Amino acid sequence: MSRFNPTLPLERAHTIPSGWYTAAAVAAAERTAVFGRSWQCVGRAEQVAATGQFLTADIAGEPVLVVRGDDGELRGFFNVCRHRAAPLLSEPSGCVGKLRCRYHGWTYDLAGKLRGTPEFDGVCDFDKEANGLVPVGGVAVAGPFVWVHLGPPTRPVTAEFEEFFARSSFAGLKYHSSSSYTLNCNWKVYVDNYLDGGYHVNTVHPALAGVLDYKHYRTELFDTCSVQTSPLTPGDGAVGATRTGDAAYWWLYPNFMANLYAGVMDTNLVLPLDQDHCQVIFEFYFNTDVTPDFIRDSVAVANTVQDEDVRICEQVQRGLRSRSYTTGRFSVKREAGGYHFHRLLAAALQASG
Ligand code: FES
Ligand SMILES: [Fe+2]
């Protein structure tokens, strides 16, 4: 861990060591230091718009639920019953009147208060008031997304990712569908690949390369997010039809990306499974005025790009295990975003000891 030096300028910097991508101990440290201390996208605002609507999520092994209360408040809790730790809710989303544990039937109201404890009379020193569901540190709706912060947040999500919310327009975008991929690589390999400033576009994504104006592709860094932007040039086929306007590729620390083109947004959420595997969830949004053909072509383009990325990321993970490789250098012209990520990650791990 000590071999990464975050104080060097980009021209002199090295990547985090390969062991950070392959060691179970680092993956365990990240669960607390990174995923336990960052805003995590857990779903879409439309899923919890009405009273009783809920969604569940897993944040690096922590089960959580978000539910809209009778009073209209959105609340987030650990999805763990106070009796024997069974989940209160098992479905990804839905609508309930109360939270009833399926194991022994304890019930909690939508504000997390323990209400019913069948056959529990005679239990001494048991304070029902003190046995409500444990709340997460923060929950919020921002943009079309729902966010959870497991620990106490240092600032609201809208302040954390201020530039993203200020510069992105979600007006007119409607959720269409999701797809999920399980990758044989550490979650950071996928993030690194995303943050290389278009360095791999010409080589890995030949079709996409045809419409990106690579000369004007640039990366801007902010406190805990970054954006890669590129004007798009007219192109042929499905790529040309669906990738127009300006491309904006937002990365929000540590594991969320939003890719915006005219009429299209797709988001990528990268979930760590263990040190060698991650899950990437794509969600596709389209402007309400686009045609079914446009949607079909756009999803196909995203799938092709994703397949190309999956292949290279899995190969990189194998390379990171090689005794021949420890760290690499960064392109000053292209890879400022990757070093930014490594510095944020190292700072988080260091802060937690
Ligand atoms: S674990 Fe929930 S009621 Fe027993
Ligand atoms: Fe890529």
Side-chain angles (χ1 to χ4, degrees), residues 1 6 20 29 32-34 37 154 253 343-353:
M1 303 267 278
W20 292 29
T32 310
V34 176
R37 297 198 187 126
T154 49
Y253 172 84
R343 288 170 116 165
L344 289 169
L345 184 87
L349 289 169
Q350 200 173 25
S352 74

Side-chain angles (χ1 to χ4, degrees), residues 219-276:
T219 300
E220 292 168 78
L221 305 181
F222 308 104
D223 198 4
T224 50
C225 63
S226 64
V227 64
Q228 301 166 65
T229 52
S230 177
L232 295 167
T233 52
D236 306 324
V239 174
T242 61
R243 299 295 181 256
T244 62
D246 291 306
Y249 303 119
W250 285 93
W251 169 73
L252 313 185
Y253 172 84
N255 63 333
F256 185 76
M257 297 95 160
N259 310 303
L260 290 121
Y261 304 91
V264 184
M265 173 171 73
D266 58 68
T267 61
N268 317 145
L269 180 65
V270 190
L271 304 172
L273 298 177
D274 62 20
Q275 67 271 24
D276 296 315

Side-chain angles (χ1 to χ4, degrees), residues 81-88 101-106 108:
C81 182
R82 295 297 298 273
H83 180 230
R84 282 300 171 277
L88 282 312
C101 180
R102 295 219 183 99
Y103 200 178
H104 311 97
W106 283 26
Y108 304 80

Side-chain angles (χ1 to χ4, degrees), residues 193-194 196 200-201 204-205 208 305-306 308-309 312:
N193 175 66
Y194 189 85
D196 77 4
H200 74 266
V201 169
V204 176
H205 306 304
L208 188 61
V305 170
Q306 174 66 354
E308 291 161 348
D309 282 324
I312 192 67

